[in-house]
Amino acid sequence: VTPPLRGARLLLVEDDALLLMELEAILLEAGAEIAACCRTVRDALAIASGDDVDAAILDVRVGRETIAPVAQRLASRGTPFIFYTGQVEKDPQLAEWTGHRVLSKPARAGAIVAAIAEVLHSVPCGRAS
Amino acid sequence: MSTSSPVATSSSISTRELQEQVCSTFHYALNPAGYLFLGASETADNPHGLFRAIDRSMRIYQSTAAPGDKPRLLPRLLGPARMREQVIHLGRTMNPTVALGEAAMHRRAIEQVAPPSMLVDETHRVIHLSENAGRYVMPSGGPLSGDAVDLVRPELRFELRSALNHAFEQQVPTLSLPILVRFNGAPHRIHLLVKPAAEGGSGPPVVVVMFMEGEAVDESLLVADRQTNDETVQRLRREVELTQGRLRTVREESDAANEELRAANEELQSINEEHRSTSEELETSREELQSTNEELQTVNSELKLKLEAISRGHSDLQNLVAATDIGTLFLDSTLRIKLFTDRMTELFHITLADEGRPITDFAHQLEYPDLIKDARSVLTDLAPVRREIRSRAGRWYDMRVRPYRTVDDKVDGVVITFVDISERHQVEEALRESERRLGQEQHLVELSRDPIFVWDFDDGIVEWNRGSEELYGYRRDEALGKQKEALLGTSVPGSSFAELKAKLRQDGSWAGELRQKTKSGQDLTVESHMQLESFDGRRLVLESTRDVTAARAAERRLRLLIGELTHRVRNTLAVIQAIARHTLRGANSPREFVERFEGRLAALATAHTLLVGSDWQGADLGELAREQLAPHLTDNPNRLHLDGDSILLPADLATPFGLVLHELATNAAKYGSLSVSNGTVGVSWTVDARNKPHRLRLVWEERGGPPPGKPKAGGFGSALIDSVIPGARVEREFRPVGFACTIEVELPEMPEYGVVD
C-alpha cells in the first residue's frame, strides 16, 4: 500500500512539544517528509519563505503569538496549508482564512492525513512530484 | 341833545317840559316832512302840532313842517325863556323888508288894506297872524294854547268854531252874520270870513280867517232904532235879545263845559300817557319776562339733560354693582353703613333697613377680628389696606379697604370690597403643593447616585444631578449649558450621534449603549435611556445613564475565558491523546502502558489542580515539585529537599514542568536515588532578575542512589524531558554521585487574563 503522503514535504508549526512529536510521528507514518517542526512563529516564517515546503499544518496560537504572518507568507507563495487548532470555530483570527481547512484538536490521525492529502491534490500546480 | 349844564340852571324840571323840548329839538333837526321813529314808551304829541302820527302803535311820526317853511328856532333847553313864548313870537321874527318889487308891493298893499286875518291849520292851530289881527285876539285864562278858537275874542269863538269845522269838513267858505264886538266899550260889527286856502292841492289843508270890521255902532242909534220900530219888530227884537241872552248863557255854559272837558281831556291825556308808559313798561317787563323765561327754559333743559345723565349713571352704577358680583360696603366716617351690595349679606347679617347703622353692631362671618381697626386706620392714614381673609365657611376673600373720596376729593368714609378668590386660592394651594412635591422630587433626583441629566435637544445641558457629577467628574456648574455630546465625548457604537438624534426625534425615546469619556479622560460604556419631551416649545431630553463599563469588561473577560478554557481543554485532550500514543509505543505490555499512562495523566492533573487552585494565576513551583514526587516519598517525605523562593509558574509552563518533574521522579524511583531507601532528591531554583525576561534556573540532583547508567536512547521519557518545556535549555548529567538535570527557561511576564491572545 502506497503511503498517502509519500514524498510530500511538510512544515509543522505547533508550540506544544508533545503534540508536535505526535504530529511528526503520524505524518512520518503516512510517508511524508518533515521539512521542519517549528515551535515559534519566527522559526516558521524562515521555513515558509524557503522553497522546501509542499504544505503546512499550522497551530493558530503559537506561544503568545498568532500564526497570521506565517499563513500570509504561505498564501502569498501559493503553498497550501491547514489549521490544527484548539480554538473555537468562530475565532476572529480565522475569519480571514475561511477558504482553508480547520481541524479541531484533538483529531484522529487519519483525519489529519486525509486533510493534508486533500490540500496537496487540490493545488493546480502541486509540488507533490 | 343836551347843552351845557342844563340842569344846573333850572329850579325844576317836569317830564312834560323835557318831552316838549326834546320833541321841538327833533322837529328842528328834521327835514320838512321828515319821519321820527321813537321807542315804544315815547310819544311826540307834545308840544301839539309839531308831529303828525303816521302809526301811533309803532311810534312813527312825521314832521308837520312843510317844504319852504321857515325853520323854527331851536328851543333853548330848560332855559328861562319858555319855548311857547317863542312860538308865539314866531310871527315877529319875519323880516318885513324882504322881497321888494311889484308883487311884494302888491302883497304889502294887501296886507295893509286887507282885513286882519290869520292862518289856521286843520287842527285849528294858528299858524300865522296878520299884522293888525291883534285886536281880535284875546286868549282865555290858563295855559296858552295855540288853538284859534281859544285865541280869539270870546264873542267870536262860537261862530269861528262852527265856521272852521264847516270849512275843513266841506271845503266851503263861510261868511258869518255880523257879530257885535265891543272894542273900548264901543260895539263893532264884525264879519268872519272863513275860507279854505288849499296851497296848490298839496300839503295840509289850511284855512284863512278874516276879520272884517264894520263901523262902530252907535248905541243910541240902536236904541232909537228899537224905539222906532214897530211893535212886531219890537217884539222880534226882544225875542232876539232874549234869544241872544239865552244864547250867551248857553255859550257861557258851553264854554264852561268846554273848559271842563278840556281839563278832563288833559287829564285823560295824561292818564292815557301814563297808561301808555305803563303799557310800555309792561311791554318791557313782558320782554324781560320772556327772556327770563327763555333763560329758565334753557336752564331747565340743561337740568333735564343732567338729570337724564345722572339717572343713566345711576342705573349704570346699579347694573355695575349687580354685574360685578363683588361684595362692596360703603361706610361713612363714623363707620355707619351707607351702601352695600347683595354679596355683602353673605358676610354680614345686614338688610337694606340697616343702612345708617354702625357696622360695629353687626357680627360677620370672617375670621378677621381687625376689620374695624383696619377701617379706622384707612380713615386716618388714607393708605389702602389689602388682605386675603377667610370666612368661617372656609371661603377666601381678597379684601381691600380704600378711603371713600367725594368728587371734590374729600375723604368721607371707606369702601370695603370683598372679591371671592376661593377657587384661585385652591389653585394656588394646589400649585404650591405640587411645586413643593416637585421640589422634593427634584431634590431626590438631585441626590440620586444614578446619573440623570436633561439637555435641550437644540441646545446644551440644563439639568445635572449628583449621580452625573460622580460618574463624569464634571460639577453641575461646569456641565450646565455645555453641549452634551461634546462635553462627554459621546460616540454611538455602530451609528452616529446625528442618527441617534434623528431616531430620538422620530420615536420620542432612545435606549442603547454609548461610549463616553469622563472629565479625567477615562472611557466609559454606559447604557443610556433618553426621553424627548416638549415643554413650552423647548424640546428637552431626559437622559439617565448606567455605567456598564465594568460589566461589559467582565462579560468580555468571561467570553475570553470560555474561549481560553475551550482552547485549553482541547489542547489538553490533544496532549493526552499524544501521551497515550507515545506511551503505547514505548510500552511492552498493556499493564505497563496503563501504569505509565496513569502516571503521566496524574502529573497533568496535578499541575492542573494547582492552576485551578490559584485561580489560573499560576502554579507554585515548590508545590508542583512536592506533588509530583509525593507518590514516591510516602515512607519519608524528608528525602526531598526543596530550595528556592516561592515562584508562580504561568499556566503554559506549569503543565510541561509538571510532566518533566513527573518523568524525573519516575526515573529516580526506577533507576535513581529514590530506588533505594535512603536516597534523596534535591530540587533548587533561582531566578535571575537582572534582565528581562527573567530567567529561571532549576537544578534536579539525586544523592545516595545507585550510580546511574546510561539510559537507552530515543525513549519517550527522555525526549519529553528535553523538549516539552517550550524554549527551555535542558542539560542532563549522569554524575557518579547521582543523576542531575539543569533546566533554564525564560519566565514570561505574568499575563493578564484575557490579554493573552
Side-chain angles (χ1 to χ4, degrees), chain B residues 142-174:
Chain B
L144 190 62
S145 162
D147 196 298
V149 179
D150 287 345
L151 215 55
V152 297
R153 298 185 74 102
E155 295 92 332
L156 299 175
R157 288 181 187 170
F158 184 78
E159 288 296 331
L160 179 60
R161 175 172 294 120
S162 59
L164 282 175
N165 287 343
H166 195 66
F168 280 117
E169 284 165 14
Q170 298 180 13
Q171 302 290 317
V172 177
T174 306

Short mmCIF file of all heavy atoms in Angstrom, two decimals, chain B residues 142-174:
data_model
loop_
_atom_site.label_atom_id
_atom_site.label_comp_id
_atom_site.label_asym_id
_atom_site.label_seq_id
_atom_site.Cartn_x
_atom_site.Cartn_y
_atom_site.Cartn_z
N GLY B 142 -105.58 180.52 31.80
CA GLY B 142 -104.99 179.14 31.79
C GLY B 142 -103.79 179.11 30.87
O GLY B 142 -103.33 180.15 30.41
N PRO B 143 -103.27 177.96 30.64
CA PRO B 143 -102.09 177.84 29.79
C PRO B 143 -102.36 178.32 28.40
O PRO B 143 -103.47 178.15 27.88
CB PRO B 143 -101.79 176.33 29.83
CG PRO B 143 -103.05 175.68 30.24
CD PRO B 143 -103.77 176.67 31.11
N LEU B 144 -101.33 178.92 27.81
CA LEU B 144 -101.51 179.50 26.49
C LEU B 144 -101.64 178.39 25.47
O LEU B 144 -100.86 177.45 25.44
CB LEU B 144 -100.30 180.38 26.15
CG LEU B 144 -100.46 181.22 24.93
CD1 LEU B 144 -101.63 182.23 25.10
CD2 LEU B 144 -99.18 182.00 24.66
N SER B 145 -102.69 178.50 24.67
CA SER B 145 -102.92 177.47 23.68
C SER B 145 -102.80 178.08 22.31
O SER B 145 -103.06 179.27 22.12
CB SER B 145 -104.32 176.88 23.90
OG SER B 145 -104.73 176.20 22.75
N GLY B 146 -102.40 177.29 21.38
CA GLY B 146 -102.30 177.77 20.01
C GLY B 146 -103.60 177.61 19.27
O GLY B 146 -103.69 177.91 18.07
N ASP B 147 -104.66 177.21 19.92
CA ASP B 147 -105.92 176.94 19.26
C ASP B 147 -106.57 178.27 18.88
O ASP B 147 -106.70 179.19 19.70
CB ASP B 147 -106.81 176.14 20.20
CG ASP B 147 -107.97 175.50 19.48
OD1 ASP B 147 -108.81 176.23 18.91
OD2 ASP B 147 -108.02 174.24 19.43
N ALA B 148 -106.98 178.33 17.61
CA ALA B 148 -107.54 179.59 17.11
C ALA B 148 -108.78 180.02 17.88
O ALA B 148 -108.97 181.20 18.19
CB ALA B 148 -107.85 179.44 15.63
N VAL B 149 -109.61 179.01 18.21
CA VAL B 149 -110.87 179.32 18.88
C VAL B 149 -110.60 179.92 20.25
O VAL B 149 -111.30 180.86 20.68
CB VAL B 149 -111.71 178.05 18.98
CG1 VAL B 149 -113.03 178.33 19.70
CG2 VAL B 149 -112.00 177.50 17.60
N ASP B 150 -109.57 179.36 20.90
CA ASP B 150 -109.26 179.86 22.24
C ASP B 150 -108.61 181.22 22.19
O ASP B 150 -108.56 181.94 23.20
CB ASP B 150 -108.31 178.88 22.95
CG ASP B 150 -109.03 177.62 23.36
OD1 ASP B 150 -110.28 177.63 23.34
OD2 ASP B 150 -108.34 176.61 23.67
N LEU B 151 -108.02 181.51 21.03
CA LEU B 151 -107.19 182.70 20.96
C LEU B 151 -108.02 183.99 20.68
O LEU B 151 -107.66 185.07 21.11
CB LEU B 151 -106.15 182.47 19.84
CG LEU B 151 -104.76 183.04 20.01
CD1 LEU B 151 -104.16 182.55 21.34
CD2 LEU B 151 -103.86 182.61 18.88
N VAL B 152 -109.08 183.79 19.92
CA VAL B 152 -109.85 185.00 19.53
C VAL B 152 -110.73 185.49 20.67
O VAL B 152 -110.88 184.79 21.69
CB VAL B 152 -110.70 184.70 18.29
CG1 VAL B 152 -109.83 184.37 17.11
CG2 VAL B 152 -111.69 183.58 18.57
N ARG B 153 -111.32 186.65 20.43
CA ARG B 153 -112.17 187.22 21.46
C ARG B 153 -113.36 186.31 21.69
O ARG B 153 -113.82 185.64 20.79
CB ARG B 153 -112.65 188.62 21.00
CG ARG B 153 -111.50 189.58 20.80
CD ARG B 153 -112.05 190.95 20.46
NE ARG B 153 -112.60 191.60 21.60
CZ ARG B 153 -111.98 192.57 22.28
NH1 ARG B 153 -110.76 192.93 21.96
NH2 ARG B 153 -112.58 193.16 23.28
N PRO B 154 -113.82 186.26 22.93
CA PRO B 154 -114.87 185.30 23.26
C PRO B 154 -116.13 185.46 22.39
O PRO B 154 -116.76 184.45 22.06
CB PRO B 154 -115.19 185.62 24.72
CG PRO B 154 -113.99 186.31 25.26
CD PRO B 154 -113.35 187.01 24.11
N GLU B 155 -116.45 186.71 21.94
CA GLU B 155 -117.68 186.88 21.17
C GLU B 155 -117.58 186.14 19.85
O GLU B 155 -118.60 185.70 19.30
CB GLU B 155 -117.91 188.38 20.88
CG GLU B 155 -118.16 189.22 22.11
CD GLU B 155 -116.87 189.82 22.68
OE1 GLU B 155 -115.79 189.18 22.49
OE2 GLU B 155 -116.92 190.88 23.33
N LEU B 156 -116.35 185.99 19.37
CA LEU B 156 -116.18 185.41 18.04
C LEU B 156 -116.06 183.88 18.07
O LEU B 156 -116.11 183.23 17.04
CB LEU B 156 -114.90 185.98 17.41
CG LEU B 156 -114.88 187.49 17.21
CD1 LEU B 156 -113.51 187.94 16.70
CD2 LEU B 156 -115.95 187.91 16.21
N ARG B 157 -115.84 183.32 19.23
CA ARG B 157 -115.42 181.92 19.31
C ARG B 157 -116.45 180.95 18.76
O ARG B 157 -116.14 180.04 18.00
CB ARG B 157 -115.11 181.55 20.76
CG ARG B 157 -113.82 182.20 21.21
CD ARG B 157 -113.46 181.85 22.63
NE ARG B 157 -112.29 182.64 23.04
CZ ARG B 157 -111.83 182.71 24.28
NH1 ARG B 157 -112.45 182.04 25.24
NH2 ARG B 157 -110.78 183.43 24.53
N PHE B 158 -117.68 181.13 19.15
CA PHE B 158 -118.71 180.22 18.73
C PHE B 158 -118.81 180.17 17.22
O PHE B 158 -118.82 179.10 16.62
CB PHE B 158 -120.04 180.67 19.37
CG PHE B 158 -121.16 179.73 19.07
CD1 PHE B 158 -121.27 178.53 19.77
CD2 PHE B 158 -122.08 180.02 18.08
CE1 PHE B 158 -122.30 177.69 19.47
CE2 PHE B 158 -123.10 179.16 17.79
CZ PHE B 158 -123.22 177.98 18.50
N GLU B 159 -118.86 181.40 16.62
CA GLU B 159 -119.00 181.48 15.17
C GLU B 159 -117.77 180.88 14.50
O GLU B 159 -117.88 180.12 13.53
CB GLU B 159 -119.16 182.97 14.76
CG GLU B 159 -120.50 183.57 15.12
CD GLU B 159 -121.65 182.94 14.42
OE1 GLU B 159 -121.46 182.42 13.26
OE2 GLU B 159 -122.76 182.89 14.99
N LEU B 160 -116.63 181.23 15.06
CA LEU B 160 -115.38 180.75 14.44
C LEU B 160 -115.29 179.22 14.45
O LEU B 160 -114.94 178.59 13.45
CB LEU B 160 -114.16 181.32 15.18
CG LEU B 160 -112.80 180.88 14.64
CD1 LEU B 160 -112.63 181.31 13.17
CD2 LEU B 160 -111.67 181.46 15.46
N ARG B 161 -115.68 178.56 15.54
CA ARG B 161 -115.56 177.11 15.65
C ARG B 161 -116.40 176.44 14.58
O ARG B 161 -115.93 175.58 13.84
CB ARG B 161 -115.98 176.63 17.04
CG ARG B 161 -115.97 175.10 17.13
CD ARG B 161 -116.20 174.64 18.56
NE ARG B 161 -115.11 175.01 19.44
CZ ARG B 161 -115.21 175.78 20.52
NH1 ARG B 161 -116.37 176.28 20.86
NH2 ARG B 161 -114.17 176.06 21.26
N SER B 162 -117.71 176.97 14.49
CA SER B 162 -118.59 176.30 13.53
C SER B 162 -118.11 176.56 12.11
O SER B 162 -118.14 175.67 11.26
CB SER B 162 -120.04 176.76 13.74
OG SER B 162 -120.12 178.17 13.56
N ALA B 163 -117.60 177.80 11.92
CA ALA B 163 -117.12 178.11 10.58
C ALA B 163 -115.90 177.28 10.20
O ALA B 163 -115.80 176.76 9.08
CB ALA B 163 -116.77 179.60 10.52
N LEU B 164 -114.97 177.14 11.16
CA LEU B 164 -113.78 176.31 10.89
C LEU B 164 -114.17 174.89 10.56
O LEU B 164 -113.70 174.30 9.60
CB LEU B 164 -112.82 176.33 12.10
CG LEU B 164 -111.96 177.58 12.25
CD1 LEU B 164 -111.16 177.50 13.54
CD2 LEU B 164 -111.01 177.72 11.08
N ASN B 165 -115.04 174.36 11.39
CA ASN B 165 -115.49 172.98 11.15
C ASN B 165 -116.08 172.86 9.77
O ASN B 165 -115.79 171.92 9.03
CB ASN B 165 -116.52 172.56 12.21
CG ASN B 165 -115.85 172.33 13.56
OD1 ASN B 165 -114.63 172.17 13.61
ND2 ASN B 165 -116.62 172.37 14.63
N HIS B 166 -116.98 173.87 9.45
CA HIS B 166 -117.63 173.86 8.16
C HIS B 166 -116.61 173.92 7.03
O HIS B 166 -116.69 173.17 6.06
CB HIS B 166 -118.60 175.06 8.11
CG HIS B 166 -119.57 174.98 7.02
ND1 HIS B 166 -120.56 174.01 6.97
CD2 HIS B 166 -119.75 175.74 5.91
CE1 HIS B 166 -121.27 174.18 5.88
NE2 HIS B 166 -120.81 175.25 5.20
N ALA B 167 -115.60 174.80 7.23
CA ALA B 167 -114.59 174.98 6.18
C ALA B 167 -113.75 173.72 5.97
O ALA B 167 -113.50 173.31 4.83
CB ALA B 167 -113.69 176.15 6.55
N PHE B 168 -113.30 173.11 7.07
CA PHE B 168 -112.42 171.93 6.94
C PHE B 168 -113.17 170.72 6.46
O PHE B 168 -112.65 169.93 5.69
CB PHE B 168 -111.72 171.62 8.27
CG PHE B 168 -110.53 172.50 8.52
CD1 PHE B 168 -110.50 173.36 9.60
CD2 PHE B 168 -109.44 172.46 7.63
CE1 PHE B 168 -109.42 174.19 9.81
CE2 PHE B 168 -108.36 173.30 7.86
CZ PHE B 168 -108.33 174.17 8.93
N GLU B 169 -114.45 170.63 6.91
CA GLU B 169 -115.18 169.41 6.55
C GLU B 169 -115.70 169.49 5.13
O GLU B 169 -115.66 168.51 4.40
CB GLU B 169 -116.34 169.20 7.52
CG GLU B 169 -115.85 168.67 8.86
CD GLU B 169 -116.91 168.78 9.93
OE1 GLU B 169 -118.11 169.01 9.59
OE2 GLU B 169 -116.55 168.63 11.12
N GLN B 170 -116.18 170.67 4.76
CA GLN B 170 -116.85 170.74 3.46
C GLN B 170 -116.07 171.57 2.44
O GLN B 170 -116.51 171.71 1.30
CB GLN B 170 -118.25 171.33 3.66
CG GLN B 170 -119.06 170.44 4.56
CD GLN B 170 -120.47 170.98 4.78
OE1 GLN B 170 -120.94 171.92 4.07
NE2 GLN B 170 -121.16 170.40 5.75
N GLN B 171 -114.96 172.16 2.88
CA GLN B 171 -114.17 172.99 1.98
C GLN B 171 -115.02 174.10 1.37
O GLN B 171 -114.91 174.44 0.20
CB GLN B 171 -113.54 172.12 0.86
CG GLN B 171 -112.66 171.00 1.38
CD GLN B 171 -111.38 171.54 2.00
OE1 GLN B 171 -110.73 172.47 1.46
NE2 GLN B 171 -111.05 171.03 3.17
N VAL B 172 -115.85 174.65 2.20
CA VAL B 172 -116.75 175.70 1.72
C VAL B 172 -116.47 176.96 2.55
O VAL B 172 -116.34 176.87 3.78
CB VAL B 172 -118.24 175.30 1.90
CG1 VAL B 172 -119.17 176.42 1.48
CG2 VAL B 172 -118.51 174.04 1.11
N PRO B 173 -116.30 178.10 1.91
CA PRO B 173 -116.11 179.33 2.70
C PRO B 173 -117.40 179.73 3.42
O PRO B 173 -118.50 179.41 2.97
CB PRO B 173 -115.70 180.35 1.63
CG PRO B 173 -116.20 179.81 0.35
CD PRO B 173 -116.28 178.37 0.45
N THR B 174 -117.20 180.41 4.51
CA THR B 174 -118.35 180.81 5.32
C THR B 174 -118.21 182.31 5.65
O THR B 174 -117.12 182.75 6.05
CB THR B 174 -118.39 180.02 6.64
OG1 THR B 174 -118.36 178.65 6.31
CG2 THR B 174 -119.62 180.35 7.45
#
